[in-house]
Amino acid sequence: MGEELNRPDPDQLLLQVEQMEETGAGKLKVFFGYAAGVGKTYGMLKAAKKQVALGKQVILGYIEPHVRPDTLALMEGFERIPTKKLHYKNMQLEEFDLDAALALAPDLILVDELAHTNVIGSRNKKRYQDIEELLRAGIDVYTTVNVQHLESLNDIIEEISQIRVQETVPDSFLSHAEMKLIDIEPEELLSRLKEGKIYRPERARKAMNHFFTKENLKLLREIAIRKAADHISMDNRIEDVYKEKRVHVRLLTCIHHLDQQGAEKCIRWTARLANAFHGEWVVLIVEKSDEETSEEEQQKRKANQVLAERLGAEVVTLIGDQPVEVITQYAKLTSVTDIIVGKYRHRFGHFKWLKQDIEDELMKRLNHVELHIIPLAEQEPRLKKEKASFKQLIPKKILLVDLFKTVGLLIAATLLSEVVTYLGIGDQNVIIVYLLFVVMISRVTTGYFYGVLASGISVILFNWFFVEPLNSLTVYKPGYPITLLIMLIGALFTSNIMIRLKNQARDSIEKEHQMSVLYDLNKSLLSTRNLTKIVQLTNEYLVQAIERSVIFYTEKPHAQQQLNILTYQNKQDYQALASGDEQGVANWVFNNHKIAGFGTDTLMGAKGHYFPVISQGKVLAVIGILIDKKQPLTYEQQNFLKMLTSQLSLALERQRLAAEQQQIMVENEKEKMRGNLLRAISHDLRTPLTGILGASSVLLEEEQQLPAELKKSLLTDMKEDAEWLIRMVENLLSVTRIDEGTMKVKKTPEAVEEVVGAAVGKIRKRFKGQSLTVKVPEELLMIPMDGTLIEQVLINLIENAIKHARSKEPVMITVKKKPDFAIFEVSDDGIGIAKERVPVLFQQLGEAREDIPVDSSRGMGIGLSICKTIVTAHGGTIEAVNKAQGGAVFRFSLPIKEGATS
Amino acid sequence: MTTTVLMIEDDLAIVNFMTAILQGNAYKVLHAAKGTEGVSMCALWSPDVVILDLGLPDQDGIDVLKNIRSWSEVPIIVVSARSDESEKVLALDEGADDYITKPFGTSELLARIRTALRHVKKKEGSAGKLSNGAFEIDFDKRFVQIEGKQVHLTPTEYKIIQLLALNIGKVLTHDYIAKEVWGPYSLENQSLRVNMSNIRRKIEVNPAEPVYILTEIGVGYRMVEC
């Protein structure tokens, strides 16, 4: 049974495979070695040859210029993409030409040196990003990399070789790749080096002294082989299917917010562990509420956060004055399984005996969590602890208001104490009064300075005014120095506590505010029902929150697009965001599902920072933020954008689903209408066809017996029926000119008199002898319309008046001009419209009309419905009324200006 | 001498009834069911008028039209089943003399054929003067009269009327008129409407019920013979 439970669901597996195939992404094969010269490129070219033999189109994208003749020999016979020549600081550098590769779109491309950093000015900062683009375009890629370029192993390699490798590739990049280990014995590698097969002799000697020592190579080889083994074992697991059934591993790395050097080591270590266990991991930074950090520290911190994120961690920053408390709470809340902390071997703590080590405290508080301690460097870097706290004491500028408050309250305290002494209540109460006022001062002033100042002064004042001898700082009584000292400590403590309380309150208010703002946005996003509103809302909110101009793309940029730009103060920003180059960046983001533009690794030259809003693997929108070079986005703002993006993706996804549902409903409705229409038409067509068939059969079969008169009448009937059919078909054809999706027509300006004239002309031809009166405005009236359709409407209405109203008097056709509309009227003096028919007269095409048979009066059926459809598609209205003096008026209006509706 | 009509049409029912009518009206009828066949018959027999269906089984009717027009001035009447204006405009711009939309009546067909034939004669004869009902135009003196009274026209208006009168009976597309009047690169569709509205107010009794110059919605204008 247990077996059964663990067995992956075959359907799900199949689905997974299908999904993978559906994405159409290319496959990546990495030739992995432990040092230069093991033969990665050679191995790659050999493998490529095999692919050629299998009939694949293989292209050499970029191969490092080698001197090795056997490698060179292998390269022959392949098509190569010429390198792109870029100038950088007076040097001409050759780079892989990504665009050429994308344009050629071969089955397989070979790109050497995965970890390479591109020259500034290229689209992507790193070559692995180029390769990502290739894979996304569905091109298979072969590439090479050495073990020291893997991000998580970076520090270990540094320890071994004493060389810091700058060019690194995030491990996650390789997680879906096929890995081919290229391995040779270190001895052989060394002999190759000596023979000058790897580097030129002078470089080879240098290399042998530094990097290529036998010990180093052995170690590197071990790491590489182990990494490859890890990769294979990871590959063997069927991740998602088993996920719920495995014990969940969740690692937490705690970082001291001021010690970024130690942090890096902790992060890499945890990354390796998380990789091995295949667990999630979180980097937790606990910040003190009132800490001021230097620019340099902040930069380092940001670099570490970026590193952690690149290695796959979630970075959480919490604020609290008690790190242990915060860590404990967080660990309990998120059910962390392991905690990793760094520890220096020799701490030079001043209060070591006062304070317990963080790991001991954590151990005490968390029973079920495993603790890992990472030994850091021998000596703790001097954290600017004292300096920092001293700095905190002195406010950046002394505020006069606060100073006045302090002085005033101290005077008040002294006066009150005088009263207390005068009343003879006792010295101890004077101390209490001073303490009370110190608390008050701490409450009403900002920062530590005034509280501490007040503490000191109050002790002096107490001594001066209330301790024998009065009005001097000397003390006679033996106990008093102790009293004064205790008073000072008491005053300092109380003021300190007061300020902390105040800060905490302020922090929680700030956080509360941020949360409430986000909540507000979320609420308004949830209540909006259309895309334009969502865009508008987000733009307004973003501009207000981060004080920069933003652009919101809901679809890939194209020429006719309405750009959703909201500028912040500066109107010129509009041009900056709307330029073709910027749109190109947005387009890239749409295609590649990644952030790009200013402040990122891709298309860094752009003026804006662009990020995608993704839901279920689809880019629903791209938002661009115009960034001033002097003011890049802060980490908080970036975090904030991330939060916003997740909310926005929900809102957009919901909107998309709603729109889809709407679309389906419309489709269903249309389908229903089409069905009804077909039924109605076939009904309407059948009648005249039966007439024609009957009459022609009689004529053919009984030609001899029929009297000439009857023959003629049969023929006339046939002709009439055929004519009716023609008009019917014309009407139906006219409907096809209306766009099915938008129910709109293609409008061109037409002269009203021409359209009326053409319609009247056709009617005159058909009904010779019918009297018509036509009146149009004296001045030329041009109205945007589909002339043929309006002509059809007029013909239908006039014909209706002549045939069905049986009008004897002339039919009047009038056009009047109103400010925004042209009113067309067809009026007759016939029998008028039966009351019960008025509401259903213009019933839409295909609407069920069970109450009245469709062919109740032939011709009335569809003609008027078509009139209504056409007029509505023009943004006009149509109505029919009975005249008081008899007869009816059919009236329709058309907007004179484009875009107006009645 | 009898007039020869070449029918390039693939539908036999239509061919049957048209042949009956045309022969009844003393025309000699030739028939081709395919475009290629039609072109070679046109070359072989040099008919007086060609009736060309645009929907042919072997090639696009417009191509047949272009082919014949490239070496012959024979009047061509295009028969189109679709009431799509752009197709009519294209046919006219490619050199068709007239068009007729399926379904059509016999009288209409005969009238179009007569107009096309007359037009050829007019071309051959000298222009000089043209009178059409109460309407009269003198091409040499460049003036227009209605019921003997001279109509005052602007130079542009006269140019438009002259063009329509010279091509009496024939539909001229908006683009064609604009190009003839304002030059090859003009996009004066709007001005044409305005000028035409002025002309109508000068020569017609009721501009909404024109007698001389009729509008073909979406295609162009035609001066009709009264």
Side-chain angles (χ1 to χ4, degrees):
Chain A
M1 194 57 201
E3 229 3 63
E4 201 49 37
L5 265 176
N6 278 340
R7 215 169 67 87
D9 180 1
D11 287 339
Q12 214 169 343
L13 277 177
L14 194 67
L15 194 74
Q16 232 176 359
V17 171
E18 274 171 6
Q19 273 171 353
M20 273 162 73
E21 277 170 2
E22 225 170 70
T23 54
K27 289 186 197 69
L28 177 67
K29 187 168 183 175
V30 177
F31 293 81
F32 184 64
Y34 66 87
V38 292
K40 296 180 300 296
T41 308
Y42 185 82
M44 176 168 78
L45 286 165
K46 272 239 150 137
K49 278 258 171 251
K50 272 185 203 154
Q51 293 294 319
V52 173
L54 286 173
K56 290 222 176 138
Q57 190 202 354
V58 182
I59 283 186
L60 302 189
Y62 184 85
I63 303 290
E64 286 286 316
H66 284 279
V67 281
R68 278 160 262 175
D70 39 357
T71 310
L72 279 174
L74 261 184
M75 278 163 67
E76 266 165 41
F78 281 112
E79 190 185 336
R80 294 188 70 162
I81 296 178
T83 51
K84 202 157 70 177
K85 297 191 174 51
L86 287 163
H87 291 277
Y88 178 65
K89 290 189 179 165
N90 301 328
M91 281 187 294
Q92 190 172 5
L93 296 166
E94 295 190 15
E95 281 290 350
F96 166 52
D97 192 345
L98 175 61
D99 287 320
L102 285 171
L104 280 170
D107 297 327
L108 172 65
I109 191 162
L110 274 56
V111 185
D112 220 355
E113 290 299 333
L114 178 64
H116 176 76
T117 302
N118 290 338
V119 180
I120 290 173
S122 314
R123 172 152 79 219
N124 292 317
K125 199 169 178 180
K126 296 280 190 178
R127 182 163 291 159
Y128 70 79
Q129 294 173 316
D130 291 349
I131 290 177
E132 261 181 334
E133 280 194 43
L134 290 170
L135 293 172
R136 233 175 274 123
I139 303 169
D140 291 350
V141 180
Y142 281 7
T143 186
T144 64
V145 73
N146 278 328
V147 66
Q148 65 263 38
H149 295 299
L150 293 186
E151 184 70 65
S152 68
L153 298 171
N154 193 264
D155 57 335
I156 294 189
I157 308 286
E158 186 183 349
E159 259 168 43
I160 295 169
S161 62
Q162 302 302 319
I163 294 168
R164 185 158 182 105
V165 180
Q166 296 291 349
E167 306 193 317
T168 56
V169 178
D171 298 46
S172 58
F173 184 77
L174 302 177
S175 59
H176 295 293
E178 192 184 330
M179 206 183 247
K180 168 105 177 148
L181 184 72
I182 307 287
D183 185 45
I184 57 165
E185 292 289 332
E187 284 82 1
E188 201 187 329
L189 181 64
L190 282 173
S191 69
R192 273 194 198 177
L193 189 68
K194 276 179 201 148
E195 287 163 28
K197 278 185 178 170
I198 302 168
Y199 295 124
R200 269 162 277 136
E202 67 274 11
R203 271 192 74 189
R205 219 168 297 122
K206 208 173 150 194
M208 273 171 87
N209 289 337
H210 286 94
F211 192 77
F212 282 78
T213 61
K214 203 165 175 184
E215 292 72 40
N216 276 353
L217 291 177
K218 274 182 177 167
L219 275 170
L220 285 171
R221 185 183 182 207
E222 190 189 332
I223 294 168
I225 291 173
R226 208 180 270 166
K227 183 79 197 171
D230 272 357
H231 188 83
I232 291 161
S233 77
M234 214 145 51
D235 249 14
N236 285 342
R237 295 180 200 162
I238 303 161
E239 270 321 310
D240 300 329
V241 182
Y242 281 131
K243 203 164 191 174
E244 288 139 41
K245 286 164 189 150
R246 271 206 344 267
V247 182
H248 210 58
V249 180
R250 202 174 154 88
L251 308 168
L252 180 74
T253 314
C254 303
I255 288 176
H256 194 284
H257 62 288
L258 288 176
D259 176 21
Q260 294 304 325
Q261 201 181 330
E264 194 187 326
K265 191 168 175 183
C266 287
I267 289 171
R268 287 189 200 281
W269 194 90
T270 318
R272 287 195 292 274
L273 191 67
N275 235 340
F277 281 126
H278 235 239
E280 298 171 38
W281 59 296
V282 179
V283 173
L284 178 66
I285 301 165
V286 183
E287 244 179 55
K288 288 219 169 146
S289 53
D290 45 11
E291 213 95 49
E292 299 248 334
T293 43
S294 71
E295 191 81 345
E296 191 189 352
E297 272 167 343
Q298 268 181 352
Q299 247 168 22
K300 263 193 202 158
R301 200 176 108 188
K302 196 174 168 186
N304 273 336
Q305 285 173 341
V306 170
L307 172 71
E309 274 169 6
R310 202 162 53 193
L311 288 168
E314 183 189 339
V315 179
V316 175
T317 310
L318 292 175
I319 293 171
D321 291 327
Q322 298 287 325
V324 177
E325 192 54 42
V326 174
I327 294 168
T328 314
Q329 287 300 333
Y330 184 83
K332 277 181 180 165
L333 269 175
T334 56
S335 54
V336 162
T337 54
D338 299 65
I339 292 181
I340 294 98
V341 288
K343 188 177 164 89
Y344 290 94
R345 287 195 189 117
H346 301 284
R347 277 181 62 122
F348 291 91
H350 328 274
F351 299 107
K352 205 179 170 186
W353 44 274
L354 261 183
K355 225 163 114 185
Q356 258 186 323
D357 275 337
I358 195 168
E359 58 273 16
D360 291 335
E361 288 206 43
L362 284 174
M363 208 121 88
K364 236 189 267 166
R365 283 159 198 248
L366 297 160
N367 318 337
H368 301 294
V369 175
E370 287 182 37
L371 263 178
H372 306 256
I373 295 167
I374 313 299
L376 300 178
E378 291 293 314
Q379 202 171 341
E380 189 171 4
R382 284 235 158 247
L383 300 182
K384 296 169 250 160
K385 259 246 160 97
E386 303 102 300
K387 232 172 114 192
S389 55
F390 186 64
K391 242 195 215 159
Q392 282 164 25
L393 256 184
I394 299 168
K396 270 168 263 167
K397 54 181 171 186
I398 293 179
L399 289 169
L400 270 182
V401 188
D402 283 350
L403 214 56
F404 276 130
K405 279 182 195 160
T406 312
V407 172
L409 282 167
L410 281 173
I411 290 170
T414 311
L415 289 176
L416 189 60
S417 300
E418 286 287 1
V419 174
V420 167
T421 337
Y422 179 74
L423 293 174
I425 295 172
D427 285 355
Q428 68 277 22
N429 288 328
V430 175
I431 296 175
I432 299 297
V433 167
Y434 272 113
L435 283 182
L436 179 71
F437 275 82
V438 167
V439 172
M440 279 165 70
I441 288 164
S442 309
R443 178 81 184 79
V444 297
T445 56
T446 47
Y448 286 100
F449 177 70
Y450 305 100
V452 173
L453 188 73
S455 308
I457 293 175
S458 64
V459 169
I460 293 166
L461 286 174
F462 174 65
N463 191 356
W464 186 271
F465 289 112
F466 305 105
V467 177
E468 298 284 339
L470 296 177
N471 300 337
S472 97
L473 286 180
T474 40
V475 179
Y476 286 165
K477 276 194 192 166
Y480 262 105
I482 305 286
T483 312
L484 290 178
L485 189 66
I486 290 173
M487 186 182 161
L488 180 63
I489 293 170
L492 284 173
F493 262 119
T494 42
S495 75
N496 199 3
I497 286 167
M498 191 65 226
I499 284 158
R500 267 198 200 175
L501 275 175
K502 230 169 71 185
N503 284 345
Q504 268 170 12
R506 192 198 58 212
D507 283 348
S508 55
I509 286 169
E510 243 169 46
K511 230 178 260 170
E512 173 90 33
H513 175 69
Q514 219 177 10
M515 288 316 289
S516 78
V517 169
L518 263 178
Y519 176 74
D520 268 359
L521 174 76
N522 205 12
K523 221 166 60 181
S524 9
L525 278 179
L526 278 176
S527 63
T528 40
R529 282 274 171 270
N530 73 50
L531 194 60
T532 350
K533 285 244 177 69
I534 292 178
V535 171
Q536 216 179 336
L537 200 73
T538 315
N539 271 357
E540 276 167 16
Y541 182 77
L542 261 176
V543 167
Q544 196 194 340
I546 59 173
E547 306 188 333
R548 297 162 205 266
S549 300
V550 293
I551 183 165
F552 196 122
Y553 292 95
T554 50
E555 52 189 337
K556 279 190 188 183
H558 54 80
Q560 287 90 41
Q561 202 168 21
Q562 178 91 37
L563 291 172
N564 298 307
I565 297 181
L566 193 63
T567 53
Y568 176 70
Q569 290 174 349
N570 190 352
K571 288 278 171 255
Q572 283 168 344
D573 287 357
Y574 190 94
Q575 290 307 322
L577 278 173
S579 76
D581 286 354
E582 297 294 309
Q583 292 195 7
V585 183
N587 197 37
W588 190 93
V589 175
F590 264 111
N591 288 335
N592 293 284
H593 302 205
K594 291 195 156 191
I595 56 166
F598 189 86
T600 67
D601 290 350
T602 308
L603 297 160
M604 297 157 260
K607 291 195 182 84
H609 174 87
Y610 293 83
F611 56 94
V613 180
I614 300 175
S615 176
Q616 298 183 349
K618 261 192 198 162
V619 179
L620 300 178
V622 169
I623 298 176
I625 297 171
L626 188 71
I627 293 175
D628 189 354
K629 283 214 170 74
K630 286 168 216 145
Q631 288 179 299
L633 284 176
T634 63
Y635 192 77
E636 282 73 32
Q637 282 175 332
Q638 282 181 11
N639 261 342
F640 165 76
L641 288 178
K642 264 184 216 159
M643 274 202 282
L644 179 122
T645 312
S646 62
Q647 290 199 344
L648 195 57
S649 77
L650 279 179
L652 286 174
E653 179 68 23
R654 202 173 49 86
Q655 152 69 23
R656 199 174 62 89
L657 288 175
E660 242 167 48
Q661 207 172 6
Q662 184 73 27
Q663 184 64 30
I664 289 168
M665 266 171 63
V666 169
E667 281 299 323
N668 282 344
E669 197 55 36
K670 247 191 232 163
E671 205 51 50
K672 224 167 88 191
M673 256 178 72
R674 214 171 283 151
N676 283 338
L677 181 65
L678 270 180
R679 260 195 304 283
I681 292 169
S682 39
H683 196 146
D684 277 16
L685 289 182
R686 214 173 278 149
T687 321
L689 284 173
T690 314
I692 295 172
L693 186 69
S696 56
S697 310
V698 170
L699 281 172
L700 276 177
E701 285 158 20
E702 328 220 343
E703 209 202 335
Q704 310 299 324
Q705 289 91 330
L706 291 176
E709 219 170 286
L710 188 57
K711 264 193 222 167
K712 185 150 192 208
S713 117
L714 280 174
L715 284 169
T716 319
D717 285 353
M718 272 169 76
K719 186 166 176 258
E720 259 171 26
D721 275 344
E723 276 173 352
W724 187 87
L725 279 174
I726 286 166
R727 285 198 296 282
M728 176 88 176
V729 168
E730 251 157 38
N731 261 318
L732 289 175
L733 268 179
S734 68
V735 178
T736 61
R737 296 171 66 103
I738 301 173
D739 187 279
E740 237 186 278
T742 59
M743 289 309 281
K744 290 272 176 289
V745 286
K746 250 175 78 187
K747 293 184 188 177
T748 43
E750 294 280 357
V752 167
E753 57 197 51
E754 289 183 359
V755 178
V756 173
V760 169
K762 284 195 181 158
I763 288 287
R764 277 208 194 287
K765 243 189 228 169
R766 202 178 297 157
F767 302 96
K768 292 199 169 86
Q770 172 70 40
S771 81
L772 299 165
T773 318
V774 187
K775 258 169 92 178
V776 292
E778 194 42 46
E779 55 167 324
L780 174 68
L781 180 56
M782 301 276 282
I783 293 183
M785 63 164 108
D786 182 322
T788 332
L789 287 182
I790 296 302
E791 185 188 359
Q792 185 71 46
V793 171
L794 285 166
I795 290 174
N796 283 354
L797 292 181
I798 300 170
E799 194 186 307
N800 186 57
I802 294 170
K803 283 177 77 175
H804 301 285
R806 296 194 273 276
S807 181
K808 299 283 175 292
E809 295 297 305
V811 174
M812 289 266 292
I813 299 119
T814 336
V815 182
K816 286 178 204 146
K817 192 189 168 206
K818 291 271 148 68
D820 296 329
F821 290 93
I823 313 286
F824 293 71
E825 273 183 8
V826 176
S827 93
D828 63 60
D829 298 304
I831 51 170
I833 313 157
K835 265 215 177 94
E836 69 274 13
R837 281 195 59 88
V838 173
V840 291
L841 209 53
F842 293 112
Q843 221 158 32
Q844 283 285 348
L845 274 185
E847 267 177 53
R849 298 188 302 195
E850 271 102 34
D851 48 337
I852 297 164
V854 209
D855 58 341
S856 63
S857 110
R858 228 208 260 171
M860 279 286 272
I862 272 170
L864 290 179
S865 304
I866 283 174
C867 290
K868 162 122 184 178
T869 310
I870 293 172
V871 172
T872 312
H874 277 82
T877 52
I878 187 163
E879 58 172 355
V881 284
N882 279 322
K883 288 197 287 191
Q885 65 272 35
V889 183
F890 285 77
R891 190 181 292 133
F892 70 93
S893 67
L894 293 181
I896 290 177
K897 282 199 192 85
E898 189 70 55
T901 50
S902 57
Chain B
M1 194 190 111
T2 53
T3 314
T4 318
V5 179
L6 171 63
M7 234 193 301
I8 309 179
E9 163 70 67
D10 61 314
D11 189 277
L12 270 181
I14 291 175
V15 172
N16 276 342
F17 103 82
M18 287 208 323
T19 313
I21 297 161
L22 292 174
Q23 282 174 347
N25 281 277
Y27 289 106
K28 191 182 164 197
V29 180
L30 297 167
H31 167 235
K34 285 181 181 171
T36 43
E37 198 187 333
V39 172
S40 56
M41 277 179 85
C42 187
L44 200 63
W45 296 95
S46 342
D48 296 300
V49 63
V50 176
I51 297 172
L52 171 65
D53 187 358
L54 287 182
L56 290 170
D58 62 332
Q59 66 184 115
D60 191 350
I62 295 285
D63 292 333
V64 178
L65 171 68
K66 281 189 205 164
N67 189 337
I68 296 177
R69 194 45 90 226
S70 64
W71 46 265
S72 167
E73 289 280 304
V74 60
I76 301 175
I77 299 170
V78 164
V79 180
S80 146
R82 282 160 285 180
S83 51
D84 180 5
E85 282 72 42
S86 60
E87 195 188 51
K88 296 174 190 165
V89 172
L90 179 65
L92 290 172
D93 285 342
E94 287 299 341
D97 289 74
D98 207 344
Y99 70 83
I100 184 164
T101 312
K102 273 185 201 172
F104 46 84
T106 49
S107 53
E108 197 177 353
L109 176 70
L110 289 172
R112 296 295 167 91
I113 292 175
R114 277 197 297 272
T115 309
L117 288 171
R118 215 171 15 234
H119 194 219
V120 176
K121 279 184 199 140
K122 207 142 279 158
K123 244 186 216 167
E124 285 157 2
S126 68
K129 259 186 190 178
L130 174 100
S131 62
N132 183 20
F135 171 88
E136 203 174 310
I137 179 166
D138 190 319
F139 297 114
D140 301 325
K141 293 181 185 153
R142 301 176 69 86
F143 72 76
V144 172
Q145 281 182 324
I146 293 282
E147 286 167 352
K149 274 182 238 157
Q150 192 176 341
V151 181
H152 294 282
L153 296 167
T154 65
T156 309
E157 286 164 9
Y158 176 77
K159 261 193 202 168
I160 295 170
I161 290 191
Q162 186 194 34
L163 195 64
L164 286 164
L166 282 172
N167 292 284
I168 187 162
K170 195 175 162 180
V171 182
L172 301 182
T173 63
H174 293 132
D175 280 355
Y176 177 78
I177 301 175
K179 272 177 190 140
E180 289 291 315
V181 175
W182 283 280
Y185 303 107
S186 70
L187 287 164
E188 299 280 353
N189 251 335
Q190 201 75 9
S191 321
L192 177 58
R193 305 295 173 91
V194 177
N195 275 294
M196 192 53 82
S197 131
N198 291 335
I199 292 172
R200 257 189 246 114
R201 278 166 181 70
K202 284 174 186 172
I203 66 169
E204 306 280 3
V205 180
N206 182 354
E209 282 193 278
V211 181
Y212 303 109
I213 301 173
L214 298 192
T215 313
E216 304 276 333
I217 298 290
V219 181
Y221 298 103
R222 179 209 302 268
M223 180 173 278
V224 286
E225 288 161 89
C226 302

